[in-house]
């Protein structure tokens, strides 16, 4: 805890996760920073109030607890600064709001998290921003889609549910050459497995709800930005007056300390389960970028230092009733719209109805798995029994 700024720079990610955001002056020697609750901050005198230079001014601008997480995330992400918001979806929205104004044009990957699309198609549209969806595999071909008023490119790698791997450096370089902002949803890899700003991303979104929390007990969003974009991002968030609750930030700081261990374990578990599923006669295709036969593997290998616990599979054609029989009877896998927790989840998905730039035609029902920390053999037993039910209904 006596690290110099120079010494800090040399630390590896696991050490950073343990030591970042723990200012001794604030913790008073305790290991953890407490959950500061508060709206009002008192000023000692009129001169200090008028100067505007007091470290904390009002609850909407942040507290020592939020500052600790912001500093830690910036350090881990290699960012100039970070803002915290109450959910991952809010993080996507503040990033887009920071980059766009009425009359602007947005390029959004067809594989974006669906509520991001809904925001672009509704509120952003009403505010005069036009959105064009593009094929996630477009790479540097994105140049053909730029218009004079294009101001932001939204990316997500790998894509939501279907896990297409995007060539982020190529897209970011094309955007930068035209003064266009690149935003990336980096929730799948986290900054531990993909360093967004080093690959040219201007603003990186993380749903802290997933691996940062790791315990399915809070909602949180983070947006980190480079030097060029941080001030604008910070100003936008400040104007909106939004902050996450102090207990959620406290729990996220707790999650941060073990994030790499949980993520690496989820990675190993997911690779094991995906390989097992690949060998099942009921499975047509496993979609996981760490597998050499995955179409996104080369890019993943070039740019990412690992994979997380989230992947998808396509089953051989069976009835909806057969899929329901398989999933309804699972004893360990839960069914729910999130991921990144300690518990394993599975959901059926179908993006045929809302994708517009590409066609999703997998040739069978699709399932997304978030693999948790249970014993992998128990998880396989649960799915084995599920496949038996699926075959019975057919
Ligand atoms: C890729 C991705 N980004 C963002 C979000 C939104 O996060 P939150 O649930 O905190 O709004 C999700 C949630 O599932 C997600 O999967």
């Amino acid at each position: 805890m006596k690290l110099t700024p120079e010494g800090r720079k040399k630390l590896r990610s696991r050490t950073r996760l343990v030591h970042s955001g723990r200012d001794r002056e604030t913790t008073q020697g305790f290991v953890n920073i407490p959950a500061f609750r508060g709206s009002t901050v008192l000023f000692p005198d009129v001169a200090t109030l008028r100067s505007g230079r007091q470290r904390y001014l009002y609850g909407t601008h942040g507290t020592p607890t939020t500052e600790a997480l912001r500093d830690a995330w910036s350090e881990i992400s290699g960012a100039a600064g970070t803002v915290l918001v109450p959910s991952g979806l809010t993080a996507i929205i503040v990033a887009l709001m920071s980059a766009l104004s009425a009359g602007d044009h947005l390029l959004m990957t067809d594989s974006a998290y669906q509520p991001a699309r809904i925001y672009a198609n509704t509120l952003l549209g009403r505010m005069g921003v036009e959105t064009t969806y593009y094929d996630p595999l477009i790479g540097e071909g994105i140049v053909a889609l730029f218009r004079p008023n294009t101001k932001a490119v939204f990316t997500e790698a790998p894509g939501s549910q279907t896990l297409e791997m995007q060539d982020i450096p190529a897209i970011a370089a094309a955007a930068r050459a035209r003064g266009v902002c690149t935003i990336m949803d980096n929730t799948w890899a986290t900054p531990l497995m993909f360093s967004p700003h080093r690959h040219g991303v201007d603003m990186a979104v993380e749903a802290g709800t997933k691996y940062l929390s790791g315990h399915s007990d809070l909602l949180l969003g983070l947006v980190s930005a480079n030097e060029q974009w941080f001030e604008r991002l910070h100003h936008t968030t400040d104007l909106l007056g939004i902050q996450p609750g102090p207990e959620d930030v406290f729990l996220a700081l707790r999650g941060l300390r073990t994030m790499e261990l949980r993520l690496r374990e989820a990675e190993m578990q997911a690779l094991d389960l995906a390989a097992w599923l690949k060998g099942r006669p009921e499975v047509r295709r496993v979609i996981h970028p760490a597998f050499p036969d995955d179409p996104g593997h080369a890019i993943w290998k070039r740019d990412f230092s690992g994979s997380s616990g989230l992947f998808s599979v396509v089953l051989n054609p069976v009835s909806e009733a057969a899929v329901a029989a398989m999933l309804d009877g699972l004893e360990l896998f839960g069914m729910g719209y999130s991921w990144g927790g300690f518990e394993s989840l599975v959901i059926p998905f179908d993006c045929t109805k809302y994708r517009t730039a590409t066609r999703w035609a997998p040739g069978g029902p699709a399932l997304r798995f978030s693999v948790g920390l249970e014993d992998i053999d128990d998880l396989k037993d649960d799915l084995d029994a599920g496949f038996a039910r699926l075959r019975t209904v057919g």
Side-chain angles (χ1 to χ4, degrees), residues 141-155:
I142 194 119
V143 289
L145 302 182
F146 285 120
R147 299 181 192 167
N149 63 337
T150 305
K151 289 289 158 54
V153 181
F154 188 88
T155 63

Side-chain angles (χ1 to χ4, degrees), residues 87-89 92 113 156 160 185 187 207 209-210 219-220 339:
S87 72
L89 179 58
I92 292 170
Y113 173 58
E156 184 182 332
S160 269
D185 186 332
T187 305
T209 309
K210 319 299 179 199
L219 290 160
L220 187 71
W339 47 280

Side-chain angles (χ1 to χ4, degrees), residues 109-373:
T109 177
D110 212 25
S111 55
Y113 173 58
Q114 197 194 359
R117 297 178 69 112
I118 297 172
Y119 168 69
N121 295 344
T122 54
L123 276 179
L124 261 189
R126 269 166 37 203
M127 288 172 187
V129 174
E130 193 187 338
T131 302
T132 301
Y133 292 94
Y134 66 87
D135 182 338
L137 306 182
I138 200 164
E140 61 188 359
I142 194 119
V143 289
L145 302 182
F146 285 120
R147 299 181 192 167
N149 63 337
T150 305
K151 289 289 158 54
V153 181
F154 188 88
T155 63
E156 184 182 332
S160 269
Q161 299 184 318
T162 43
L163 295 131
E164 296 89 345
M165 190 50 74
Q166 293 202 262
D167 190 340
I168 300 292
I171 292 172
R176 178 147 311 173
R178 283 157 192 79
V180 173
C181 176
T182 302
I183 302 169
M184 177 188 183
D185 186 332
N186 191 34
T187 305
W188 184 85
T190 83
L192 299 179
M193 292 177 172
F194 180 75
S195 191
H197 304 298
R198 238 175 272 141
H199 287 90
V201 171
D202 293 305
M203 288 190 261
V205 167
E206 182 78 24
T209 309
K210 319 299 179 199
Y211 285 110
L212 176 57
S213 151
H215 292 74
S216 307
D217 52 4
L218 62 90
L219 290 160
L220 187 71
L222 306 93
V223 190
S224 61
N226 59 15
E227 288 287 352
Q228 193 191 338
W229 282 94
F230 180 62
E231 208 178 306
R232 208 150 148 188
L233 169 69
H234 187 238
H235 188 55
T236 305
T237 317
D238 239 21
L239 288 174
L240 290 166
I242 39 175
Q243 283 288 336
E247 306 294 339
D248 293 339
V249 179
F250 173 83
L251 286 173
L253 277 164
R254 175 187 280 205
L256 183 81
R257 311 300 173 200
T258 57
M259 186 165 86
E260 182 149 349
L261 295 181
R262 288 183 285 99
L263 200 54
R264 290 287 171 201
E265 188 59 23
E267 172 181 37
M268 298 316 293
Q269 299 257 92
L271 287 169
D272 188 336
L273 194 70
W276 179 82
L277 285 162
K278 223 170 170 14
R280 295 286 317 194
E282 302 87 352
V283 173
R284 182 185 179 103
R285 184 181 154 213
V286 169
I287 312 172
H288 192 312
F291 280 60
D293 60 354
D294 189 274
H297 182 70
I299 291 178
W300 172 80
K301 203 161 176 224
R302 185 192 66 192
D303 296 341
F304 287 60
S305 62
S307 53
S308 65
L310 193 76
F311 67 93
S312 296
V313 302
V314 178
L315 302 175
N316 283 316
V318 277
S319 67
E320 278 182 17
V323 176
M326 174 187 178
L327 300 184
D328 288 350
L330 291 173
E331 291 175 341
L332 300 178
F333 281 88
M335 240 191 308
Y337 284 113
S338 198
W339 47 280
F342 58 81
E343 79 292 7
S344 292
L345 299 171
V346 61
I347 48 157
F349 70 89
D350 178 6
C351 7
T352 46
K353 292 197 181 70
Y354 62 86
R355 296 246 168 131
T356 49
T358 52
R359 211 170 85 99
W360 169 247
L367 303 175
R368 186 187 72 178
F369 289 92
S370 174
V371 186
L373 305 176

Side-chain angles (χ1 to χ4, degrees), residues 13-42:
S13 62
R14 273 174 70 158
T15 316
R16 277 182 201 278
L17 289 177
V18 171
H19 284 277
S20 55
R22 286 175 49 205
D23 167 31
R24 197 186 153 84
E25 207 183 303
T26 316
T27 62
Q28 293 292 311
F30 283 92
V31 170
N32 292 294
I33 205 145
F36 276 82
R37 309 189 64 87
S39 51
T40 308
V41 186
L42 302 175

